[in-house]
Amino acid sequence: MSRPGAKPGGLPEQQPDRALKALLREIDPHRIETTVRRLASFGTRHTLSSQDDPVRGIGAARDWIYEQFRDYAAASGGRMTVELQSYVQAPASRIPEPTRITNVVATLRGTDEPGRVYVVTGHYDSRASDVLDATSDAPGADDDASGVAAVMEIARVMARRKTQATIVFAAVAAEEQGLYGSDHLAQVLKDAGTDVQAMFSNDIVGTGDAHDGTAADPRTVRLFVEGVPTSETPAQATTRLSVGGENDGPSRQLGRFVRDVAQNPQTGMSVRVVWRRDRYLRGSDHISFLLRGYPAARFTEPRENFAHEHQNVRVENGVQYGDLVEFCDFRYIARVARVNAAALWSLAQAPGTPKGVIIDTTQLTNATTLRWQASPAADIAGYEVVWRETTAPDWEHALAVGNVTATTIDISKDNVFFGVRAIDRDGHRSPVAAPVPG
Ligand SMILES: [Zn+2]
Protein backbone atom coordinates (compact mmCIF):
# COMPACT_ATOMS: atom_id res chain seq x y z
CA MET A 1 0.00 0.00 0.00
CA SER A 2 1.13 3.57 -0.51
CA ARG A 3 2.01 5.59 2.53
CA PRO A 4 1.99 9.27 1.59
CA GLY A 5 3.84 11.36 4.12
CA ALA A 6 5.76 8.36 5.38
CA LYS A 7 9.30 9.18 6.35
CA PRO A 8 11.65 6.86 8.17
CA GLY A 9 12.35 8.04 11.67
CA GLY A 10 9.36 10.29 12.03
CA LEU A 11 6.91 12.50 10.19
CA PRO A 12 7.92 15.93 8.88
CA GLU A 13 7.34 18.80 11.29
CA GLN A 14 4.57 21.31 10.62
CA GLN A 15 6.01 24.61 9.48
CA PRO A 16 4.62 27.95 10.71
CA ASP A 17 2.22 29.65 8.31
CA ARG A 18 2.63 33.32 7.36
CA ALA A 19 0.25 34.56 10.03
CA LEU A 20 2.13 32.67 12.73
CA LYS A 21 5.50 33.94 11.52
CA ALA A 22 4.23 37.51 11.76
CA LEU A 23 2.85 36.87 15.22
CA LEU A 24 6.12 35.39 16.46
CA ARG A 25 8.07 38.42 15.22
CA GLU A 26 5.93 40.71 17.37
CA ILE A 27 6.89 39.05 20.64
CA ASP A 28 9.11 41.62 22.27
CA PRO A 29 11.84 40.84 24.83
CA HIS A 30 11.83 44.47 25.97
CA ARG A 31 8.19 44.27 26.99
CA ILE A 32 8.94 41.01 28.79
CA GLU A 33 11.79 42.70 30.64
CA THR A 34 9.50 45.54 31.69
CA THR A 35 6.97 43.06 33.02
CA VAL A 36 9.50 40.98 34.98
CA ARG A 37 11.02 44.13 36.52
CA ARG A 38 7.59 45.52 37.40
CA LEU A 39 6.46 42.28 39.05
CA ALA A 40 9.70 42.05 41.05
CA SER A 41 9.24 45.68 42.15
CA PHE A 42 6.22 44.77 44.30
CA GLY A 43 8.73 43.48 46.88
CA THR A 44 6.83 40.32 47.63
CA ARG A 45 3.87 38.70 45.90
CA HIS A 46 3.33 36.19 48.63
CA THR A 47 -0.24 34.90 48.79
CA LEU A 48 -0.56 36.02 52.42
CA SER A 49 0.91 39.50 51.75
CA SER A 50 -1.12 42.71 51.58
CA GLN A 51 -4.05 42.73 49.17
CA ASP A 52 -4.75 46.46 49.46
CA ASP A 53 -1.35 48.16 49.70
CA PRO A 54 -0.99 50.01 46.37
CA VAL A 55 2.79 49.53 46.23
CA ARG A 56 3.89 46.32 47.94
CA GLY A 57 2.35 42.87 47.99
CA ILE A 58 0.22 40.55 45.92
CA GLY A 59 -2.75 42.93 45.69
CA ALA A 60 -0.68 45.58 43.91
CA ALA A 61 0.67 42.94 41.52
CA ARG A 62 -2.85 41.63 40.86
CA ASP A 63 -4.16 45.10 40.01
CA TRP A 64 -1.22 45.88 37.73
CA ILE A 65 -1.62 42.63 35.76
CA TYR A 66 -5.35 43.30 35.48
CA GLU A 67 -4.67 46.77 34.02
CA GLN A 68 -2.25 45.34 31.45
CA PHE A 69 -4.72 42.68 30.31
CA ARG A 70 -7.41 45.37 30.04
CA ASP A 71 -5.11 47.39 27.79
CA TYR A 72 -4.55 44.39 25.52
CA ALA A 73 -8.28 43.65 25.45
CA ALA A 74 -9.00 47.22 24.30
CA ALA A 75 -7.29 46.34 21.00
CA SER A 76 -9.18 43.08 20.52
CA GLY A 77 -12.37 44.34 18.92
CA GLY A 78 -14.35 43.01 21.87
CA ARG A 79 -13.06 39.46 21.54
CA MET A 80 -10.93 39.57 24.71
CA THR A 81 -12.56 39.92 28.12
CA VAL A 82 -10.71 40.25 31.42
CA GLU A 83 -11.82 39.23 34.89
CA LEU A 84 -10.58 38.96 38.45
CA GLN A 85 -11.59 35.42 39.32
CA SER A 86 -11.60 35.17 43.05
CA TYR A 87 -12.71 33.05 45.99
CA VAL A 88 -11.94 32.84 49.71
CA GLN A 89 -9.85 29.84 50.66
CA ALA A 90 -10.67 28.48 54.11
CA PRO A 91 -7.69 27.55 56.31
CA ALA A 92 -5.81 24.63 54.74
CA SER A 93 -2.27 23.46 54.16
CA ARG A 94 0.00 26.55 53.92
CA ILE A 95 -3.07 28.80 54.30
CA PRO A 96 -3.34 29.58 58.05
CA GLU A 97 -6.30 31.97 57.85
CA PRO A 98 -9.17 32.59 55.41
CA THR A 99 -7.50 34.14 52.37
CA ARG A 100 -8.86 35.67 49.20
CA ILE A 101 -7.18 34.07 46.20
CA THR A 102 -7.52 35.85 42.86
CA ASN A 103 -6.61 34.73 39.36
CA VAL A 104 -6.33 37.37 36.66
CA VAL A 105 -7.89 35.86 33.55
CA ALA A 106 -8.04 37.17 29.97
CA THR A 107 -10.20 35.17 27.58
CA LEU A 108 -9.83 35.58 23.81
CA ARG A 109 -13.04 34.25 22.35
CA GLY A 110 -12.71 32.04 19.28
CA THR A 111 -14.49 33.19 16.14
CA ASP A 112 -15.46 29.73 14.82
CA GLU A 113 -15.58 27.32 17.76
CA PRO A 114 -15.68 29.38 20.95
CA GLY A 115 -16.50 26.27 22.98
CA ARG A 116 -13.12 24.71 22.16
CA VAL A 117 -10.66 26.10 24.70
CA TYR A 118 -6.89 26.21 25.28
CA VAL A 119 -5.41 27.53 28.52
CA VAL A 120 -1.98 29.00 29.27
CA THR A 121 -0.83 30.08 32.71
CA GLY A 122 1.99 31.53 34.77
CA HIS A 123 1.70 32.05 38.54
CA TYR A 124 2.14 35.55 39.89
CA ASP A 125 2.57 34.70 43.56
CA SER A 126 6.09 34.32 44.98
CA ARG A 127 7.74 33.02 48.12
CA ALA A 128 10.81 33.33 50.32
CA SER A 129 12.60 30.51 52.19
CA ASP A 130 9.74 30.05 54.66
CA VAL A 131 6.60 29.28 52.68
CA LEU A 132 4.50 31.18 55.24
CA ASP A 133 6.73 34.31 55.28
CA ALA A 134 4.55 37.06 53.80
CA THR A 135 6.81 40.03 54.59
CA SER A 136 10.39 39.28 53.45
CA ASP A 137 11.41 40.30 49.96
CA ALA A 138 10.43 37.61 47.45
CA PRO A 139 11.11 39.05 43.99
CA GLY A 140 10.15 35.82 42.23
CA ALA A 141 11.73 36.95 38.97
CA ASP A 142 12.25 33.52 37.48
CA ASP A 143 9.61 31.79 39.64
CA ASP A 144 7.39 32.95 38.22
CA ALA A 145 7.40 36.50 36.89
CA SER A 146 9.05 34.92 33.84
CA GLY A 147 6.02 32.72 33.16
CA VAL A 148 3.55 35.54 33.78
CA ALA A 149 5.54 37.83 31.46
CA ALA A 150 5.49 35.20 28.71
CA VAL A 151 1.73 34.70 29.08
CA MET A 152 1.08 38.46 29.10
CA GLU A 153 3.18 39.03 25.98
CA ILE A 154 1.37 36.29 24.07
CA ALA A 155 -1.96 37.73 25.21
CA ARG A 156 -0.89 41.14 23.92
CA VAL A 157 0.01 39.95 20.42
CA MET A 158 -2.87 37.51 20.12
CA ALA A 159 -5.50 40.00 21.27
CA ARG A 160 -5.12 41.74 17.91
CA ARG A 161 -5.82 38.56 15.97
CA LYS A 162 -8.78 36.31 15.36
CA THR A 163 -8.40 32.73 16.49
CA GLN A 164 -10.79 29.97 15.54
CA ALA A 165 -10.88 28.50 19.07
CA THR A 166 -10.83 30.26 22.43
CA ILE A 167 -7.61 30.89 24.36
CA VAL A 168 -7.55 31.62 28.09
CA PHE A 169 -4.49 33.54 29.35
CA ALA A 170 -4.26 33.38 33.13
CA ALA A 171 -1.97 34.74 35.82
CA VAL A 172 -2.87 32.35 38.62
CA ALA A 173 -2.30 32.80 42.35
CA ALA A 174 -1.21 30.69 45.33
CA GLU A 175 0.81 28.19 43.34
CA GLU A 176 3.49 28.19 46.02
CA GLN A 177 0.91 27.51 48.74
CA GLY A 178 -0.38 24.43 46.90
CA LEU A 179 -1.75 25.19 43.40
CA TYR A 180 -4.86 26.85 44.88
CA GLY A 181 -5.40 29.38 42.09
CA SER A 182 -5.07 26.97 39.20
CA ASP A 183 -7.17 24.43 41.10
CA HIS A 184 -9.95 27.01 41.24
CA LEU A 185 -9.54 27.96 37.56
CA ALA A 186 -9.63 24.32 36.45
CA GLN A 187 -12.67 23.60 38.63
CA VAL A 188 -14.58 26.62 37.29
CA LEU A 189 -13.91 25.38 33.74
CA LYS A 190 -14.86 21.82 34.67
CA ASP A 191 -18.08 22.93 36.39
CA ALA A 192 -19.05 24.82 33.23
CA GLY A 193 -18.45 21.68 31.16
CA THR A 194 -15.72 23.48 29.22
CA ASP A 195 -13.97 21.52 26.50
CA VAL A 196 -10.36 22.33 27.44
CA GLN A 197 -8.29 20.50 24.83
CA ALA A 198 -4.86 21.57 26.12
CA MET A 199 -3.29 23.52 28.97
CA PHE A 200 0.26 24.79 29.47
CA SER A 201 1.88 25.97 32.70
CA ASN A 202 4.87 28.27 32.25
CA ASP A 203 6.72 28.04 35.53
CA ILE A 204 10.41 29.00 35.89
CA VAL A 205 11.13 29.92 32.26
CA GLY A 206 13.56 32.73 33.05
CA THR A 207 16.89 31.63 31.65
CA GLY A 208 18.87 28.98 29.83
CA ASP A 209 21.86 29.78 32.04
CA ALA A 210 21.85 28.13 35.47
CA HIS A 211 24.70 30.40 36.62
CA ASP A 212 26.35 27.40 38.24
CA GLY A 213 29.45 27.04 36.08
CA THR A 214 27.82 24.75 33.53
CA ALA A 215 27.46 25.78 29.91
CA ALA A 216 24.35 27.82 29.17
CA ASP A 217 21.67 26.13 27.05
CA PRO A 218 19.72 29.16 25.84
CA ARG A 219 17.97 27.42 22.94
CA THR A 220 16.24 24.67 24.94
CA VAL A 221 13.04 24.60 26.94
CA ARG A 222 11.82 21.52 28.73
CA LEU A 223 8.24 20.34 28.40
CA PHE A 224 7.08 17.88 31.06
CA VAL A 225 4.27 15.59 29.93
CA GLU A 226 2.86 12.72 31.94
CA GLY A 227 2.35 9.22 30.54
CA VAL A 228 -0.36 7.29 32.37
CA PRO A 229 -3.04 9.93 32.94
CA THR A 230 -3.41 11.27 36.48
CA SER A 231 -7.17 10.95 35.91
CA GLU A 232 -7.07 7.33 34.70
CA THR A 233 -10.05 5.24 35.85
CA PRO A 234 -9.79 1.59 36.92
CA ALA A 235 -11.52 0.54 33.69
CA GLN A 236 -8.99 2.52 31.63
CA ALA A 237 -6.16 0.95 33.62
CA THR A 238 -7.51 -2.51 32.80
CA THR A 239 -7.47 -1.70 29.07
CA ARG A 240 -3.96 -0.28 29.30
CA LEU A 241 -2.68 -3.35 31.11
CA SER A 242 -4.16 -5.49 28.33
CA VAL A 243 -3.02 -3.67 25.17
CA GLY A 244 -0.60 -0.94 26.27
CA GLY A 245 -0.93 2.77 25.65
CA GLU A 246 1.04 4.12 28.62
CA ASN A 247 2.84 6.37 26.14
CA ASP A 248 -0.30 7.44 24.29
CA GLY A 249 -2.26 9.46 26.82
CA PRO A 250 -3.58 12.86 25.71
CA SER A 251 -0.74 14.75 27.38
CA ARG A 252 1.86 12.67 25.54
CA GLN A 253 0.09 13.46 22.26
CA LEU A 254 0.17 17.12 23.24
CA GLY A 255 3.92 16.89 23.84
CA ARG A 256 4.41 15.42 20.37
CA PHE A 257 2.24 18.16 18.88
CA VAL A 258 4.18 20.97 20.56
CA ARG A 259 7.49 19.76 19.22
CA ASP A 260 5.90 19.29 15.82
CA VAL A 261 4.73 22.92 15.55
CA ALA A 262 7.08 24.88 17.83
CA GLN A 263 10.57 23.54 17.27
CA ASN A 264 11.72 25.55 14.28
CA PRO A 265 13.87 28.52 13.20
CA GLN A 266 11.01 30.98 13.91
CA THR A 267 10.95 30.16 17.61
CA GLY A 268 14.69 29.49 17.70
CA MET A 269 14.13 26.77 20.27
CA SER A 270 14.46 23.06 20.80
CA VAL A 271 11.65 21.57 22.84
CA ARG A 272 13.09 18.92 25.12
CA VAL A 273 10.08 16.79 25.92
CA VAL A 274 10.47 14.98 29.24
CA TRP A 275 8.23 12.01 29.81
CA ARG A 276 7.22 12.59 33.40
CA ARG A 277 4.56 14.70 35.05
CA ASP A 278 7.07 17.05 36.66
CA ARG A 279 10.51 17.14 38.25
CA TYR A 280 11.36 15.25 41.43
CA LEU A 281 9.83 16.86 44.53
CA ARG A 282 8.13 19.56 42.49
CA GLY A 283 4.83 20.29 40.78
CA SER A 284 3.04 23.08 38.98
CA ASP A 285 -0.34 24.31 37.83
CA HIS A 286 -0.73 21.79 35.01
CA ILE A 287 -1.45 19.20 37.71
CA SER A 288 -4.72 21.01 38.56
CA PHE A 289 -5.83 20.36 34.97
CA LEU A 290 -4.51 16.79 34.81
CA LEU A 291 -6.56 15.98 37.92
CA ARG A 292 -9.69 16.94 35.98
CA GLY A 293 -8.87 14.92 32.91
CA TYR A 294 -7.61 17.81 30.77
CA PRO A 295 -4.44 17.31 28.67
CA ALA A 296 -1.75 19.51 30.22
CA ALA A 297 1.99 20.08 30.27
CA ARG A 298 4.61 22.22 31.97
CA PHE A 299 7.28 24.37 30.33
CA THR A 300 10.39 25.06 32.36
CA GLU A 301 13.99 26.13 31.79
CA PRO A 302 16.62 23.46 30.95
CA ARG A 303 18.56 23.50 34.22
CA GLU A 304 17.61 25.19 37.48
CA ASN A 305 19.71 26.90 40.10
CA PHE A 306 18.04 26.08 43.39
CA ALA A 307 19.88 28.89 45.18
CA HIS A 308 17.73 31.23 43.05
CA GLU A 309 14.37 29.65 43.86
CA HIS A 310 12.36 29.75 47.08
CA GLN A 311 15.25 31.48 48.91
CA ASN A 312 15.53 34.64 50.97
CA VAL A 313 17.59 37.25 49.19
CA ARG A 314 21.00 37.17 50.88
CA VAL A 315 24.70 36.56 50.34
CA GLU A 316 26.15 33.61 52.21
CA ASN A 317 29.78 32.49 51.90
CA GLY A 318 30.06 34.66 48.83
CA VAL A 319 27.04 33.01 47.16
CA GLN A 320 24.10 35.17 46.09
CA TYR A 321 20.79 33.57 47.03
CA GLY A 322 17.37 34.75 45.91
CA ASP A 323 15.18 34.89 42.81
CA LEU A 324 16.57 38.11 41.39
CA VAL A 325 15.90 39.86 38.09
CA GLU A 326 19.62 39.91 37.31
CA PHE A 327 19.56 36.14 36.71
CA CYS A 328 16.84 36.38 34.04
CA ASP A 329 17.51 36.42 30.30
CA PHE A 330 14.67 38.33 28.64
CA ARG A 331 15.51 37.08 25.15
CA TYR A 332 15.25 33.54 26.50
CA ILE A 333 11.82 34.26 28.00
CA ALA A 334 10.77 35.74 24.66
CA ARG A 335 11.78 32.54 22.88
CA VAL A 336 9.75 30.50 25.39
CA ALA A 337 6.83 32.83 24.70
CA ARG A 338 7.28 32.12 20.97
CA VAL A 339 7.15 28.38 21.63
CA ASN A 340 3.90 28.86 23.56
CA ALA A 341 2.50 31.14 20.88
CA ALA A 342 3.34 28.65 18.12
CA ALA A 343 1.66 25.87 20.07
CA LEU A 344 -1.44 27.89 20.98
CA TRP A 345 -1.87 29.40 17.52
CA SER A 346 -1.45 26.03 15.83
CA LEU A 347 -3.92 24.42 18.23
CA ALA A 348 -6.49 27.18 17.83
CA GLN A 349 -6.28 27.41 14.04
CA ALA A 350 -6.23 23.65 13.40
CA PRO A 351 -9.32 21.51 13.89
CA GLY A 352 -9.78 20.20 17.42
CA THR A 353 -8.38 16.84 18.50
CA PRO A 354 -10.64 14.12 17.04
CA LYS A 355 -13.19 12.80 19.51
CA GLY A 356 -14.70 9.39 20.01
CA VAL A 357 -11.87 7.56 18.24
CA ILE A 358 -12.49 3.82 18.41
CA ILE A 359 -10.39 0.91 17.22
CA ASP A 360 -12.74 -1.89 16.27
CA THR A 361 -12.15 -4.94 18.45
CA THR A 362 -15.41 -6.77 17.80
CA GLN A 363 -13.64 -9.62 16.00
CA LEU A 364 -10.19 -11.11 15.53
CA THR A 365 -8.70 -9.79 12.30
CA ASN A 366 -5.32 -8.77 10.94
CA ALA A 367 -6.76 -5.53 9.54
CA THR A 368 -7.47 -2.39 11.53
CA THR A 369 -10.74 -0.46 11.47
CA LEU A 370 -10.88 2.97 13.07
CA ARG A 371 -13.95 5.17 13.62
CA TRP A 372 -14.33 8.70 14.97
CA GLN A 373 -16.78 11.57 15.24
CA ALA A 374 -16.89 14.16 12.47
CA SER A 375 -15.04 17.37 13.34
CA PRO A 376 -17.25 20.46 13.82
CA ALA A 377 -14.58 22.64 12.14
CA ALA A 378 -16.06 24.59 9.22
CA ASP A 379 -12.82 24.29 7.24
CA ILE A 380 -12.27 20.57 7.81
CA ALA A 381 -10.53 18.91 4.86
CA GLY A 382 -10.17 15.38 6.19
CA TYR A 383 -8.23 13.08 8.46
CA GLU A 384 -4.93 11.28 8.68
CA VAL A 385 -4.34 7.94 10.30
CA VAL A 386 -0.86 7.87 11.88
CA TRP A 387 1.03 4.91 13.26
CA ARG A 388 4.38 3.82 14.61
CA GLU A 389 6.19 0.77 15.87
CA THR A 390 5.18 0.07 19.47
CA THR A 391 8.78 0.74 20.51
CA ALA A 392 9.06 4.04 18.61
CA PRO A 393 8.71 7.33 20.49
CA ASP A 394 7.13 9.38 17.70
CA TRP A 395 4.67 8.87 14.87
CA GLU A 396 6.41 7.35 11.85
CA HIS A 397 3.73 7.10 9.17
CA ALA A 398 0.69 9.08 8.09
CA LEU A 399 -2.00 8.13 5.63
CA ALA A 400 -4.56 10.65 4.40
CA VAL A 401 -7.92 8.88 4.40
CA GLY A 402 -10.20 11.69 3.19
CA ASN A 403 -13.13 13.42 4.84
CA VAL A 404 -14.62 10.27 6.33
CA THR A 405 -15.36 9.01 9.85
CA ALA A 406 -14.20 5.41 9.45
CA THR A 407 -11.45 3.59 7.63
CA THR A 408 -9.95 0.13 7.41
CA ILE A 409 -6.21 -0.29 6.95
CA ASP A 410 -4.43 -3.51 6.09
CA ILE A 411 -1.99 -3.34 8.99
CA SER A 412 -2.44 -5.38 12.14
CA LYS A 413 -3.40 -3.36 15.20
CA ASP A 414 -1.51 -5.95 17.23
CA ASN A 415 1.84 -4.76 15.87
CA VAL A 416 1.76 -0.96 15.90
CA PHE A 417 0.16 1.97 17.71
CA PHE A 418 -2.42 3.97 15.75
CA GLY A 419 -3.80 7.47 16.05
CA VAL A 420 -6.07 9.85 14.14
CA ARG A 421 -5.65 13.56 13.46
CA ALA A 422 -7.79 16.09 11.61
CA ILE A 423 -6.59 18.43 8.85
CA ASP A 424 -8.12 21.68 7.64
CA ARG A 425 -8.04 23.21 4.18
CA ASP A 426 -4.91 25.20 5.03
CA GLY A 427 -3.09 22.03 6.03
CA HIS A 428 -3.17 22.68 9.80
CA ARG A 429 -3.10 19.35 11.62
CA SER A 430 -4.70 18.71 15.00
CA PRO A 431 -3.07 16.81 17.84
CA VAL A 432 -3.42 13.06 17.50
CA ALA A 433 -6.10 11.14 19.37
CA ALA A 434 -5.26 7.58 20.32
CA PRO A 435 -8.13 5.14 19.83
CA VAL A 436 -9.81 3.18 22.58
CA PRO A 437 -11.03 -0.38 21.95
CA GLY A 438 -14.69 -0.65 21.08
ZN1 LIG B 1 6.76 28.30 40.40
Side-chain angles (χ1 to χ4, degrees), residues 123 125 142-144 175-176 203-204 282-284 298 310:
H123 71 84
D125 62 307
D142 195 345
D143 186 10
D144 183 33
E175 192 271 352
E176 303 290 6
D203 194 355
I204 312 179
R282 307 295 279 275
S284 185
R298 183 220 177 124
H310 302 187

Tab-separated table of all heavy atoms in Angstrom, residues 123 125 142-144 175-176 203-204 282-284 298 310, ligand 1:
chain	number	residue	atom	x	y	z
A	123	HIS	N	2.232	31.681	37.212
A	123	HIS	CA	1.701	32.047	38.537
A	123	HIS	C	2.388	33.314	39.028
A	123	HIS	O	3.603	33.459	38.920
A	123	HIS	CB	1.795	30.896	39.530
A	123	HIS	CG	3.171	30.533	40.003
A	123	HIS	ND1	3.787	31.185	41.046
A	123	HIS	CD2	4.034	29.565	39.597
A	123	HIS	CE1	4.972	30.629	41.259
A	123	HIS	NE2	5.165	29.661	40.386
A	125	ASP	N	2.136	34.669	42.161
A	125	ASP	CA	2.568	34.703	43.560
A	125	ASP	C	4.047	34.309	43.646
A	125	ASP	O	4.599	33.717	42.711
A	125	ASP	CB	1.711	33.757	44.406
A	125	ASP	CG	1.837	32.298	43.980
A	125	ASP	OD1	1.634	32.014	42.780
A	125	ASP	OD2	2.166	31.444	44.821
A	142	ASP	N	12.320	34.714	38.332
A	142	ASP	CA	12.251	33.520	37.484
A	142	ASP	C	10.997	32.715	37.831
A	142	ASP	O	10.283	32.234	36.950
A	142	ASP	CB	13.538	32.700	37.710
A	142	ASP	CG	13.763	31.640	36.642
A	142	ASP	OD1	12.814	31.337	35.903
A	142	ASP	OD2	14.881	31.111	36.554
A	143	ASP	N	10.733	32.592	39.122
A	143	ASP	CA	9.607	31.795	39.642
A	143	ASP	C	8.589	32.715	40.297
A	143	ASP	O	8.646	32.940	41.487
A	143	ASP	CB	10.158	30.763	40.631
A	143	ASP	CG	9.100	29.788	41.117
A	143	ASP	OD1	7.998	29.790	40.547
A	143	ASP	OD2	9.379	29.052	42.080
A	144	ASP	N	7.649	33.295	39.591
A	144	ASP	CA	7.395	32.946	38.217
A	144	ASP	C	6.965	34.194	37.441
A	144	ASP	O	6.061	34.141	36.622
A	144	ASP	CB	6.332	31.846	38.164
A	144	ASP	CG	6.047	31.349	36.756
A	144	ASP	OD1	6.987	31.338	35.929
A	144	ASP	OD2	4.896	31.043	36.465
A	175	GLU	N	0.142	29.426	43.783
A	175	GLU	CA	0.806	28.187	43.340
A	175	GLU	C	1.726	27.680	44.433
A	175	GLU	O	1.747	26.482	44.760
A	175	GLU	CB	1.594	28.452	42.050
A	175	GLU	CG	2.084	27.186	41.347
A	175	GLU	CD	3.457	26.688	41.797
A	175	GLU	OE1	4.140	27.396	42.562
A	175	GLU	OE2	3.831	25.576	41.404
A	176	GLU	N	2.490	28.604	45.024
A	176	GLU	CA	3.489	28.187	46.016
A	176	GLU	C	2.840	27.635	47.286
A	176	GLU	O	3.462	26.867	48.006
A	176	GLU	CB	4.401	29.374	46.378
A	176	GLU	CG	5.127	30.016	45.196
A	176	GLU	CD	6.217	29.131	44.586
A	176	GLU	OE1	6.343	27.968	45.005
A	176	GLU	OE2	6.923	29.620	43.694
A	203	ASP	N	6.294	27.853	34.147
A	203	ASP	CA	6.725	28.036	35.531
A	203	ASP	C	8.245	27.860	35.579
A	203	ASP	O	8.745	26.764	35.329
A	203	ASP	CB	6.001	27.002	36.404
A	203	ASP	CG	6.114	27.306	37.883
A	203	ASP	OD1	6.815	28.257	38.248
A	203	ASP	OD2	5.494	26.557	38.671
A	204	ILE	N	8.943	28.965	35.897
A	204	ILE	CA	10.413	29.003	35.888
A	204	ILE	C	10.918	28.860	34.446
A	204	ILE	O	11.489	27.853	34.049
A	204	ILE	CB	11.044	27.957	36.826
A	204	ILE	CG1	10.360	28.019	38.214
A	204	ILE	CG2	12.541	28.161	36.963
A	204	ILE	CD1	10.889	27.002	39.222
A	282	ARG	N	8.735	18.303	42.902
A	282	ARG	CA	8.128	19.556	42.489
A	282	ARG	C	6.860	19.311	41.678
A	282	ARG	O	6.648	18.223	41.157
A	282	ARG	CB	9.109	20.393	41.641
A	282	ARG	CG	10.462	20.619	42.282
A	282	ARG	CD	10.400	21.450	43.559
A	282	ARG	NE	10.324	22.872	43.292
A	282	ARG	CZ	11.378	23.664	43.069
A	282	ARG	NH1	12.588	23.169	43.049
A	282	ARG	NH2	11.225	24.945	42.871
A	283	GLY	N	6.038	20.362	41.586
A	283	GLY	CA	4.827	20.285	40.785
A	283	GLY	C	4.482	21.668	40.288
A	283	GLY	O	5.129	22.647	40.660
A	284	SER	N	3.479	21.766	39.450
A	284	SER	CA	3.041	23.077	38.976
A	284	SER	C	1.571	23.023	38.583
A	284	SER	O	0.892	22.005	38.766
A	284	SER	CB	3.910	23.541	37.806
A	284	SER	OG	3.563	24.864	37.420
A	298	ARG	N	3.912	21.139	31.294
A	298	ARG	CA	4.613	22.220	31.968
A	298	ARG	C	5.905	22.575	31.236
A	298	ARG	O	6.767	21.737	31.024
A	298	ARG	CB	4.993	21.781	33.383
A	298	ARG	CG	5.655	22.894	34.170
A	298	ARG	CD	6.814	22.437	35.019
A	298	ARG	NE	7.409	23.608	35.684
A	298	ARG	CZ	7.576	23.738	36.994
A	298	ARG	NH1	7.259	22.763	37.783
A	298	ARG	NH2	8.116	24.844	37.481
A	310	HIS	N	12.897	30.024	45.729
A	310	HIS	CA	12.364	29.751	47.075
A	310	HIS	C	13.406	30.075	48.163
A	310	HIS	O	13.505	29.363	49.153
A	310	HIS	CB	11.943	28.273	47.223
A	310	HIS	CG	10.911	27.825	46.218
A	310	HIS	ND1	10.300	26.591	46.271
A	310	HIS	CD2	10.368	28.437	45.145
A	310	HIS	CE1	9.440	26.455	45.274
A	310	HIS	NE2	9.470	27.577	44.576
B	1	ZN	ZN	6.761	28.300	40.399
